[in-house]
Amino acid sequence: MVSLVHRYYLYRATLSSGFYIPVSVIYMESKGLGLADIGAVQAAFLFSMVVSELPTGYLGDRLGRRGALAFGNAVVVAVMVGFALADSTVEFAVVYAVWAVGWTFRTGTADAWLYELLAERGEEDEHARLTGRADSTLRLVSGTAALAAGLLYTVDPALPFLANAGLASLGLPLLWTLPAARGAEANEEAGLGVREAANVLRTQLSRPSIRWLVAYAALFNVAFSVTRVFEQPAMRSVGVPVAGLGVLYAGFKLVSAVVSSQAGRLQDALGTRGVLLLMVPVVGIAYASFAVVPLLLLPALFVRRGLQRVTRPVRNEYVNDRVDDVGRATVLSGVSMVLTLASGTANVLGGYAAEAVGAMTLLSTVGVTVAALGGLLWLVARPVRRAVGVEAAPS
């Protein structure tokens, strides 16, 4: 089991976008795209994810986890090459849309594979801890890649994308060293059809214990997604040079790695409710701070990443605990679909708002608003509830 976990960590490391992320926005700006264009391009990625999530989650249940994950890695290799060749808003939108298809093959499917493998051994309670450590490995690799991204960009702007293509290609041989989970085989034998998959998704998302958690998570996904898209212009507005972006992103990855590895420990200390409730005060304070003192944007960006990394595995374990093996990847993909739709809409609107009021004002306003709405939802709808069997009646 130890060797298997280490191989899983190595596979997760190949999912890094560390070479790409630190220079993504400045690369598109160098091609003549404005903030509204960039918001629309990022939204094309997210909306394509919405369209892809259900069928790719279904294929993950129907065709097997490893094959779906391998297809996702292959798409990412092709997409990174496409980035190096793209030269207009339309071309970038197409590349992002195709990337989303590869991305969705690896989201719910990867999480379902790990949970089912642990469940076979009676170790499903280890899910949050192992996912957190896998994320930690991913962030460390991404941090190292981020340090190199700026240097590669100065040599040739296309090099960071080609480096990311090479990294993603390493995941293909690693995948075939990982075993198939018997839970996935059971799903294949069950023959879950498209109509059944849609019914499973509709039924599960209508349950209060999942519905309100998804609504709560979607709010904060809006803040996290808008921040990710427009943080580079915001950092430049407070004096961060282009050459410093790679160093900052390496720092972001390092902090995320350390925090991700503590997800299980934090969950043990605070419980699921306590960890997810943290998002309300932390987001509210962090985003309000740089509205008053602009330089506090930088620590706020560190806080945003740490918070997102520690809450995501806890949220995913909460959902996993409340769905059956059959259709698990479909339900997880459906949850991701809802979160992504909210983020894509926010990115389109955020692009126009950023051009009108500036990236800094946009980010602080979105963060404070989301924290206030999240606190209200927590009080009136109880997003985090007990497991099936003691769940409150639908409301």
Side-chain angles (χ1 to χ4, degrees):
M1 183 66 180
V2 173
S3 173
L4 173 61
V5 169
H6 289 163
R7 279 179 281 146
Y8 176 71
Y9 290 169
L10 287 174
Y11 167 70
R12 286 294 301 274
T14 70
L15 305 184
S16 169
S17 297
F19 290 106
Y20 150 80
I21 288 178
V23 297
S24 58
V25 173
I26 61 172
Y27 181 74
M28 287 187 283
E29 285 182 317
S30 73
K31 298 291 185 177
L33 279 67
L35 293 182
D37 297 321
I38 292 170
V41 163
Q42 295 278 358
F45 173 85
L46 295 171
F47 290 141
S48 181
M49 282 185 69
V50 171
V51 175
S52 304
E53 279 288 2
L54 186 55
T56 55
Y58 159 69
L59 288 173
D61 280 326
R62 181 83 174 182
L63 302 177
R65 311 300 191 217
R66 290 183 305 171
L69 293 172
F71 181 80
N73 272 57
V75 169
V76 171
V77 172
V79 160
M80 287 297 163
V81 174
F83 271 117
L85 301 175
D87 199 40
S88 69
T89 301
V90 173
E91 291 174 0
F92 278 109
V94 170
V95 170
Y96 267 103
V98 174
W99 189 13
V101 176
W103 190 277
T104 55
F105 266 98
R106 304 182 308 181
T107 50
T109 301
D111 200 56
W113 175 85
L114 178 62
Y115 189 86
E116 287 165 0
L117 199 67
L118 292 171
E120 289 173 11
R121 295 160 169 77
E123 299 175 356
E124 54 264 52
D125 289 345
E126 292 290 295
H127 180 266
R129 183 179 68 86
L130 293 180
T131 302
R133 289 186 176 180
D135 279 345
S136 178
T137 302
L138 174 61
R139 303 307 150 193
L140 286 171
V141 171
S142 295
T144 303
L147 285 173
L151 177 60
L152 291 174
Y153 188 85
T154 60
V155 175
D156 185 333
L159 283 180
F161 305 96
L162 298 178
N164 240 132
L167 181 61
S169 69
L170 296 177
L172 296 172
L174 274 171
L175 275 172
W176 299 115
T177 72
L178 299 175
R182 286 195 295 272
E185 294 169 358
N187 289 347
E188 295 161 25
E189 294 171 1
L192 189 65
V194 175
R195 180 176 296 179
E196 289 83 359
N199 286 337
V200 166
L201 183 59
R202 182 172 60 253
T203 299
Q204 295 298 326
L205 290 182
S206 68
R207 292 167 50 200
S209 61
I210 295 180
R211 180 178 72 218
W212 292 118
L213 185 279
V214 172
Y216 180 77
L219 276 174
F220 289 95
N221 243 43
V222 165
F224 296 156
S225 180
V226 169
T227 302
R228 180 180 57 81
V229 174
F230 300 109
E231 65 188 3
Q232 289 180 26
M235 285 190 283
R236 293 208 312 276
S237 74
V238 296
V240 177
V242 171
L245 292 177
V247 176
L248 270 175
Y249 275 94
F252 293 156
K253 299 300 182 183
L254 177 61
V255 168
S256 295
V258 172
V259 174
S260 292
S261 68
Q262 300 303 309
R265 183 176 297 179
L266 188 63
Q267 185 181 25
D268 290 340
L270 301 179
T272 299
R273 286 176 59 87
V275 172
L276 296 180
L277 179 58
L278 274 177
M279 291 195 286
V280 173
V282 172
V283 168
I285 293 171
Y287 281 72
S289 68
F290 61 82
V292 179
V293 181
L295 280 177
L296 291 179
L297 168 72
L298 301 182
L301 294 178
F302 280 96
V303 168
R304 193 279 287 181
R305 280 168 170 79
L307 184 64
Q308 187 174 14
R309 296 307 167 192
V310 81
T311 55
R312 180 180 293 169
V314 174
R315 182 195 73 208
N316 287 346
E317 182 176 297
Y318 173 91
V319 175
N320 267 307
D321 285 343
R322 285 156 180 81
V323 297
D324 297 327
D325 283 343
V326 175
R328 184 183 305 279
T330 298
V331 173
L332 293 173
S333 290
V335 171
S336 180
M337 183 169 60
V338 174
L339 302 183
T340 301
L341 181 62
S343 297
T345 303
N347 286 347
V348 172
L349 299 177
Y352 291 102
E355 288 198 342
V357 301
M360 285 282 289
T361 300
L362 169 69
L363 296 186
S364 61
T365 301
V366 168
V368 171
T369 302
V370 160
L373 292 175
L376 179 62
L377 184 63
W378 189 276
L379 292 174
V380 302
R382 293 190 300 121
V384 178
R385 305 186 181 204
R386 290 178 294 177
V388 176
V390 288
E391 181 180 328
S395 59

